[in-house]
Amino acid sequence: MKNILLSIQNLQTHFFLDEGVVRAVNGVNLEIPLGETMSIVGESGCGKSVTAFSILQLIASPGRIVSGEIVFHRPNSDNVVLTNHKERDKRIRAIRGSEIAMIFQEPMSSLSPVHTVGNQIMESLILHTNLGKTEARLQVIDMMQRVGIPNPVQRFNQYPHQMSGGLRQRAIIAMALICRPKLLIADEPTTALDVTIQAQILQLMRDLQTEFEMSILLITHDLGVVAEMANQVAVMYMGKIVEQAEINELLTNPQHPYTQALLESVPRRGQQPKAKLKVISGSVPNPFEQITGCPFHPRCEEFSDGLCNQGDPPVPFQFRDNQHVACFIREKDKTQ
Amino acid sequence: MNKEPLLQVKNLKKHFPVKRGFFNQVVGQIRAVDGISFDLHQGECLGLVGESGSGKTTVGRTILRALSPTDGQVLFRSDDQSYDLATATEDTLRPLRKHMQMIFQDPYSSLNPRMTVFDIIGEPLLVNGVSDRSEREQRVQELIIQVGLKPEHIRRYPHAFSGGQRQRIGIARALALHPKLIVADEPVSALDVSVQAQVLNLLQELQSTFQLTYLFIAHDLNVVGHISDRIAVMYAGKLVELGTTDELFRQPKHPYTEALLAAVPVPEPRKSRNRALLSGEVADPANLPSGCVFHPRCPYVEDRCKTEVPKFREIATGHLARCHLAE
């Protein structure tokens, strides 16, 4: 049995708007193993980012974690039930940014334009440790060097606008890693970057993961990035995990019709040129809508009337050793 | 293909002045597009790829004369006559404009939120002399069906549509005047994968139905490869490689293309994580390196690359590359 660093049980995060309730995360169960990369993939609006923000208790009104439990199993220390703490609790503030850190998508908007990059990286170090300024500065410069920022001593005093997108993203990674977190949550860390820079940043994240022995929760819409990075993948659709599997299993042998369609709709090299791409008909449903039965059934090719559109949504069942699928049809085939 | 090309771009340049100080003195030039040449034949799709800042969008906009080129020729064939769009006057351009249309990247900001779908798609018709409302309405209905929306949608405003549907509206608008050439600037990069596939399929269907010619600008090599007959790779304002999709993917001749192909993550089980990564960042077009613009990042760099500017030369039939070492 693997050691689990973080477990999420039946998480429900809903947003209460005037127009109705958006069930952004609607019953997610997930375990992040120690030292591995778990990835959540899905299209926009499926609830992948809200899951990440729920871990850090950063859900602002009108959103609320309605139910569920998120437990942080700290190595060599006591467990913390994150969901028992409010956004501003001392306990959670001590963990956020030090033991659990986060990288955001936009490298420009997650840095302050009026503070130097070095001071911004140093801030969390000063906040979470008792280090003095001189000592902290040395550690920051050391970290900047490790994430591949050239001339860290000069760069320390520069402002974000003086850096390129790739360097800024490196600075953000330095900021996240400066307190040696056990869990790094990376929300679309390379989406705003060019492919050659993306490849550099992904390589950097893998190297640092081995060096610091941390777990990564990688949130992305890009199945290619997932294939590069993840050990485990969870596919989300409308606030639920529809399939979870070991990466190679998922890529070579996807089971849920949504996962299958998602993988087939990506254009690839070496495909029949100009062949038609497989599409998922329709679009992601209105978030206020409550679909009976399987949330994917209105778009599913294998839809079977009477089975898929009845009662409660399907619960993930074990399809293979390391593969769980939430699909009525697969479950029926399996039991027969 | 033996006919005259629909569009011939010859040594196209677009420089932007850098101004500083109180008197707005010109202190330098950003060479966004720096001598680009290619041909585009009727019914063909040419993909133009490059990273941000490589000048690919500027190429598209300069060809359509949304920007005036600094130098070079853009020869466009219409009714067996050839026009140089680069130097044409507004009066010459106006009747030609209906033959060339553009599809934009962001389906949210490229549609006016205060106009109904009918007004948006009908505007190019109105501007070009279809003043009869019922005739316009009929044409808009046709268009909306062609792009996969429903006739009852034409009274609605853009906010009522999803990203993919909005992009379809943008496509319908571009098609309204039966254009010959469509410049599509990152038409699917703002869309989710499943919707992206729908829009790509639609663009392909429309191309074969209406014999359209596409200049397809994008940063995603897989998307470009899927739809294009030929691909042009741009780096720091110059074309570094041009060839058929198949050849370019199988045998890239320029080190940049090779690196770009290696850098794209593929959703397949990984075989090995060790691959050549490009170091450094995209060249700054205001301060280009000497010799070959790619030399500071090139893994195969030699001494002459630092001083001699490589020519864009034909390596195999129809396959050009700008590299001293390509063979």
Side-chain angles (χ1 to χ4, degrees):
Chain A
M1 194 63 203
K2 277 182 212 158
N3 285 326
I4 300 300
L5 182 70
L6 187 97
S7 60
I8 302 176
Q9 264 149 40
N10 192 29
L11 178 71
Q12 302 205 1
T13 307
H14 296 175
F15 289 81
F16 300 88
L17 307 176
D18 293 343
E19 296 95 319
V21 180
V22 176
R23 293 170 174 80
V25 177
N26 202 5
V28 161
N29 293 293
L30 198 66
E31 286 181 337
I32 304 176
L34 198 65
E36 285 192 4
T37 301
M38 163 67 83
S39 183
I40 303 182
V41 260
E43 298 181 277
S44 21
C46 72
K48 52 194 195 301
S49 292
V50 176
T51 307
F53 283 107
S54 301
I55 295 174
L56 290 172
Q57 305 300 305
L58 287 175
I59 300 294
S61 170
R64 192 152 48 83
I65 296 179
V66 181
S67 74
E69 196 177 60
I70 302 175
V71 186
F72 182 34
H73 306 271
R74 298 202 287 182
N76 318 319
S77 187
D78 54 331
N79 292 350
V80 184
V81 184
L82 299 173
T83 30
N84 285 350
H85 297 278
K86 289 227 170 62
E87 192 182 340
R88 289 170 196 281
D89 273 8
K90 264 198 181 145
R91 190 79 194 268
I92 199 100
R93 290 178 67 180
I95 290 174
R96 196 190 293 143
S98 70
E99 286 172 86
I100 303 179
M102 189 157 177
I103 311 179
F104 301 91
Q105 174 173 358
E106 248 312 306
M108 195 60 207
S109 53
S110 40
L111 287 167
S112 158
V114 297
H115 296 98
T116 63
V117 170
N119 279 334
Q120 291 186 58
I121 302 173
M122 198 161 71
E123 191 185 357
S124 75
L125 194 60
I126 301 249
L127 196 71
H128 292 293
T129 62
N130 302 321
L131 291 177
K133 264 211 164 160
T134 352
E135 177 62 19
R137 196 185 132 93
L138 287 177
Q139 282 205 18
V140 170
I141 289 174
D142 178 56
M143 182 56 78
M144 286 169 81
Q145 181 110 45
R146 276 190 207 200
V147 299
I149 299 178
N151 305 325
V153 182
Q154 285 87 357
R155 291 283 184 187
F156 188 94
N157 292 319
Q158 284 193 341
Y159 290 89
H161 74 266
Q162 291 167 297
M163 294 184 157
S164 65
L167 277 186
R168 274 184 222 135
Q169 197 59 300
R170 284 171 195 270
I172 288 168
I173 292 177
M175 201 188 289
L177 298 187
I178 190 75
C179 291
R180 308 289 167 113
K182 283 286 141 221
L183 174 64
L184 176 69
I185 302 175
D187 188 0
E188 304 269 9
T190 56
T191 309
L193 305 174
D194 281 319
V195 270
T196 57
I197 309 295
Q198 165 170 288
Q200 292 171 8
I201 297 286
L202 293 181
Q203 179 74 50
L204 174 72
M205 284 175 61
R206 283 198 296 261
D207 292 347
L208 294 170
Q209 175 174 34
T210 332
E211 194 181 329
F212 296 160
E213 294 173 340
M214 62 182 174
S215 305
I216 296 181
L217 177 64
L218 175 74
I219 293 164
T220 179
H221 69 281
D222 188 334
L223 287 159
V225 171
V226 173
E228 294 260 311
M229 297 290 291
N231 304 101
Q232 288 277 324
V233 195
V235 182
M236 271 185 92
Y237 186 76
M238 286 195 84
K240 285 183 166 39
I241 292 177
V242 294
E243 178 159 6
Q244 189 187 333
E246 192 269 324
I247 177 70
N248 289 341
E249 202 69 63
L250 188 102
L251 293 173
T252 50
N253 219 336
Q255 286 303 321
H256 197 281
Y258 179 63
T259 320
Q260 290 172 348
L262 213 52
L263 278 163
E264 282 172 42
S265 64
V266 188
R268 295 176 202 213
R269 247 173 277 159
Q271 241 171 5
Q272 187 73 19
K274 305 241 173 178
K276 272 209 150 190
L277 287 171
K278 183 160 177 171
V279 301
I280 306 177
S281 60
S283 53
V284 179
N286 176 346
F288 301 111
E289 217 174 311
Q290 282 248 62
I291 296 172
T292 43
C294 172
F296 188 59
H297 86 254
R299 302 176 75 189
C300 187
E301 275 194 344
E302 299 178 45
F303 169 66
S304 142
D305 195 19
L307 178 65
C308 298
N309 53 356
Q310 302 283 314
D312 290 334
V315 185
F317 74 100
Q318 185 156 14
F319 185 82
R320 235 174 260 144
D321 264 358
N322 211 336
Q323 189 165 23
H324 291 77
V325 190
C327 174
F328 289 128
I329 297 169
R330 295 290 176 274
E331 198 165 2
K332 193 175 154 210
D333 292 350
K334 180 91 178 172
T335 45
Q336 272 174 6
Chain B
M1 285 288 177
N2 48 13
K3 282 194 298 178
E4 287 272 298
L6 177 73
L7 183 81
Q8 269 184 297
V9 177
K10 290 183 178 171
N11 197 27
L12 183 70
K13 288 185 183 172
K14 176 66 192 173
H15 295 179
F16 294 99
V18 186
K19 290 176 181 167
R20 285 257 162 75
F22 185 68
F23 295 107
N24 270 338
Q25 278 166 320
V26 177
V27 294
Q29 296 284 337
I30 291 184
R31 290 188 263 167
V33 177
D34 202 21
I36 278 198
S37 310
F38 61 84
D39 291 353
L40 191 53
H41 292 267
Q42 175 85 42
E44 194 190 18
C45 175
L46 176 72
L48 186 61
V49 271
E51 296 182 275
S52 37
S54 61
K56 52 191 193 303
T57 297
T58 312
V59 170
R61 304 187 58 155
T62 316
I63 288 172
L64 298 186
R65 268 294 290 277
L67 295 168
S68 294
T70 311
D71 194 17
Q73 285 183 303
V74 180
L75 302 174
F76 182 73
R77 278 198 85 74
S78 176
D79 306 325
D80 284 329
Q81 265 201 315
S82 181
Y83 300 90
D84 184 3
L85 303 179
T87 51
T89 58
E90 272 306 319
D91 288 340
T92 335
L93 275 175
R94 192 158 297 120
L96 291 174
R97 288 214 185 268
K98 64 169 185 259
H99 300 306
M100 351 175 244
Q101 293 291 331
M102 189 147 184
I103 299 169
F104 299 92
Q105 169 171 12
D106 182 356
Y108 291 86
S109 58
S110 58
L111 302 179
N112 187 337
R114 295 183 181 207
M115 286 165 80
T116 62
V117 171
F118 170 72
D119 292 333
I120 291 170
I121 302 175
E123 194 177 27
L125 297 167
L126 186 66
V127 171
N128 282 279
V130 186
S131 50
D132 179 33
R133 193 180 164 93
S134 62
E135 194 184 332
R136 246 187 4 253
E137 189 152 329
Q138 203 194 339
R139 178 82 184 114
V140 172
Q141 300 262 14
E142 273 170 39
L143 285 161
I144 207 95
I145 294 167
Q146 273 161 3
V147 297
L149 296 173
K150 298 199 180 98
E152 62 261 31
H153 286 155
I154 68 168
R155 299 276 164 245
R156 297 187 192 166
Y157 288 89
H159 72 83
F161 296 92
S162 67
Q165 288 174 318
R166 284 178 201 221
Q167 202 57 306
R168 289 172 191 267
I169 297 170
I171 293 169
R173 175 176 61 185
L175 288 176
L177 296 165
H178 302 292
K180 293 186 177 131
L181 171 69
I182 289 188
V183 175
D185 189 359
E186 302 264 17
V188 296
S189 57
L191 306 174
D192 274 320
V193 249
S194 68
V195 183
Q196 175 176 309
Q198 294 173 3
V199 173
L200 281 175
N201 283 348
L202 173 67
L203 285 171
Q204 278 185 348
E205 277 168 34
L206 295 171
Q207 184 182 26
S208 56
T209 320
F210 298 109
Q211 283 285 299
L212 294 170
T213 309
Y214 287 143
L215 178 63
F216 193 94
I217 302 170
H219 68 282
D220 187 330
L221 265 172
N222 290 334
V223 168
V224 171
H226 181 76
I227 195 164
S228 308
D229 303 297
R230 289 188 301 149
I231 296 182
V233 183
M234 232 180 136
Y235 186 79
K238 288 190 164 71
L239 287 188
V240 294
E241 186 160 357
L242 175 67
T244 60
T245 303
D246 188 42
E247 260 188 68
L248 193 113
F249 277 177
R250 269 191 303 117
Q251 292 185 309
K253 299 288 183 195
H254 195 281
Y256 178 63
T257 316
E258 195 183 295
L260 215 52
L261 286 169
V264 181
V266 195
E268 273 158 27
R270 47 178 176 255
K271 288 158 196 125
S272 121
R273 273 173 163 181
N274 298 322
R275 27 157 224 208
L277 280 185
L278 269 193
S279 58
E281 309 212 357
V282 182
D284 176 6
N287 189 11
L288 288 176
S290 63
C292 171
V293 281
F294 187 60
H295 88 255
R297 300 177 79 188
C298 184
Y300 313 109
V301 64
E302 287 180 0
D303 277 346
R304 62 173 164 164
C305 302
K306 294 174 185 163
T307 48
E308 266 176 67
V309 179
K311 288 206 175 61
F312 198 43
R313 58 195 170 92
E314 193 154 12
I315 314 272
T317 321
H319 194 164
L320 293 90
R322 190 187 292 277
C323 179
H324 290 306
L325 307 171
E327 51 195 28

